[in-house]
Amino acid sequence: AIDMRYISVGTPDNQIIVDWQLEVPADVTDFTIQRKIAGADGSEWQSVNTVSGTTFNFTETAINTDISAYDYRVVATNKCGTLITSEMHTSILLTGIQDEDFNSVLEFTEYSGWDNGVSIYDLWLEDNVRNLAIERAGVDFQGSIVVSHDPDQYRKCFRIKADEQDGESTSSWSNEICFFFSPTIYVPNAFTPNGDGKNETFRPVVTGFNNYRLSIVDRWGNIVFESTNAYEEWNGKINNSGIECPQDIYTWRLFILDFANSPKQEHGTVLLYR
C-alpha cells in the first residue's frame, strides 16, 4: 500500500509538495501523482506527473494555491498488475479580508488525510519588522481569526501550519496571504510649548510607511527641526536644543515611502503658540 505522508504548500506558495512512502516493500515501475479541486467528484482526478518507482517526493509548480484547496493521491501498479492507491490528502486554504479598522480577518479550511488527524493549527506571520514566526498558537479552523492592526506594519503576510497528531510528526503549510497598508497621515496644525503640560510638542502621525523624513523651517527658510524618526516630537526649540523658537507659523515638509517604495510628499504649516 502507498502511504501518503503529507502534502504542503511550498515557498513561494505557487507550488505544492507531495510526499509518500510504501508501507510494505513493493516493486513498482513508477508512481503517478493525481490532483483535483478539493471536494470535487472522484471522476475529476487529473494526473499531474509520473515519477520513477524509487522516488517518493514530488513538487507541483505553477499552481494557484490562493483560489482553492486541493486533493492529492498517488497511484501505482505493482508487478502483479494490482493497482495500489494512497489515501487522499487535502491541502489548507487560507483566506482573509481587512475590516474597516484595517484588522486582518482570516479563515482557513481543515487539513485532512492523517490517520489521527491534526494535533494543532498555528497562525504564522511575517511583516516588515519580523521574519516568519508564530503569531498565534492553537487556532481553530471553525470560525474567524482577527488580528489587530499595528500602525508600524505596512505589510503583513500570514500562513497556517498544521502538525500531524502522533504518526510521523509531519506538518503541512497553507498558502500565504498578504495585506499591504497605504500610508495614512494626520498632522496637527498648532501646538503650545508653554510648560503647562498640554499639547507641548508637534509630531505628524503616520502609519503604513517604509521610510520617513520630516523637516520644519521658519519663515526665512532656516531649518529649525529635522528627523528621520517618526516618533520623535518637536518641542519648539531649534533641533530640540535649549534655544527656543519664537511664536510664529512654521512650514513642515514630510517625505515617506510606502510599502512599494513609492515616494509620497506632503507639506503644510503649524502654529507655534506660546
Side-chain angles (χ1 to χ4, degrees):
I2 304 171
D3 173 35
M4 180 79 83
R5 298 182 65 238
Y6 66 88
I7 63 173
S8 179
V9 178
T11 303
D13 71 348
N14 64 345
Q15 52 188 307
I16 291 184
I17 302 163
V18 184
D19 192 285
W20 67 93
Q21 64 186 3
L22 290 170
E23 291 186 342
V24 294
D27 193 356
V28 299
T29 302
D30 50 46
F31 295 103
T32 298
I33 299 90
Q34 297 183 330
R35 166 182 46 81
K36 65 181 178 69
I37 299 294
D41 184 85
S43 64
E44 297 186 25
W45 284 107
Q46 296 180 352
S47 296
V48 297
N49 200 36
T50 298
V51 298
S52 74
T54 58
T55 300
F56 301 94
N57 187 281
F58 170 73
T59 300
E60 183 178 8
T61 58
I63 182 169
N64 189 342
T65 61
D66 294 325
I67 61 172
S68 176
Y70 294 94
D71 297 329
Y72 280 85
R73 70 181 184 183
V74 177
V75 300
T77 302
N78 63 22
K79 286 201 171 180
C80 296
T82 303
L83 182 69
I84 54 177
T85 305
S86 75
E87 69 272 44
M88 181 182 72
H89 280 227
T90 305
S91 64
I92 306 168
L93 174 65
L94 176 62
T95 58
I97 61 169
Q98 291 177 353
D99 66 15
E100 62 274 11
D101 297 318
F102 301 105
N103 300 316
S104 303
V105 183
L106 310 170
E107 295 182 349
F108 65 96
T109 60
E110 182 181 15
Y111 183 91
S112 65
W114 289 319
D115 290 342
N116 298 311
V118 174
S119 65
I120 191 171
Y121 292 100
D122 294 327
L123 176 67
W124 289 63
L125 167 65
E126 181 179 58
D127 58 32
N128 50 284
V129 178
R130 300 172 294 173
N131 294 325
L132 187 65
I134 291 180
E135 169 70 12
R136 196 172 300 175
V139 295
D140 191 346
F141 69 90
Q142 296 177 319
S144 298
I145 308 165
V146 179
V147 180
S148 298
H149 175 53
D150 184 342
D152 287 338
Q153 297 168 331
Y154 59 82
R155 176 180 65 88
K156 290 182 183 178
C157 293
F158 296 97
R159 297 187 83 171
I160 292 290
K161 179 174 177 280
D163 292 332
E164 181 183 6
Q165 177 73 45
D166 302 322
E168 299 175 57
S169 299
T170 58
S171 299
S172 178
W173 290 87
S174 75
N175 58 306
E176 178 184 70
I177 62 170
C178 294
F179 299 111
F180 297 91
F181 301 86
S182 298
T184 60
I185 301 172
Y186 166 73
V187 185
N189 59 12
F191 71 116
T192 58
N194 54 14
D196 66 357
K198 300 177 181 178
N199 199 27
E200 293 284 334
T201 59
F202 168 80
R203 177 177 73 89
V205 179
V206 185
T207 64
F209 64 93
N210 187 15
N211 201 301
Y212 174 98
R213 185 174 71 249
L214 172 69
S215 63
I216 301 173
V217 300
D218 62 18
R219 64 174 61 244
W220 296 278
N222 301 311
I223 296 175
V224 297
F225 180 76
E226 277 189 310
S227 180
T228 57
N229 181 353
Y231 298 97
E232 185 177 6
E233 300 173 337
W234 181 39
N235 63 8
K237 299 178 181 180
I238 295 178
N239 284 319
N240 286 348
S241 67
I243 305 174
E244 290 188 347
C245 296
Q247 177 174 304
D248 205 345
I249 294 176
Y250 293 82
T251 299
W252 56 266
R253 295 185 179 90
L254 179 64
F255 173 85
I256 61 174
L257 297 178
D258 67 10
F259 62 86
N261 287 325
S262 297
K264 183 177 180 65
Q265 298 185 62
E266 299 283 347
H267 67 275
T269 59
V270 58
L271 170 64
L272 189 163
Y273 184 81
R274 296 191 183 279

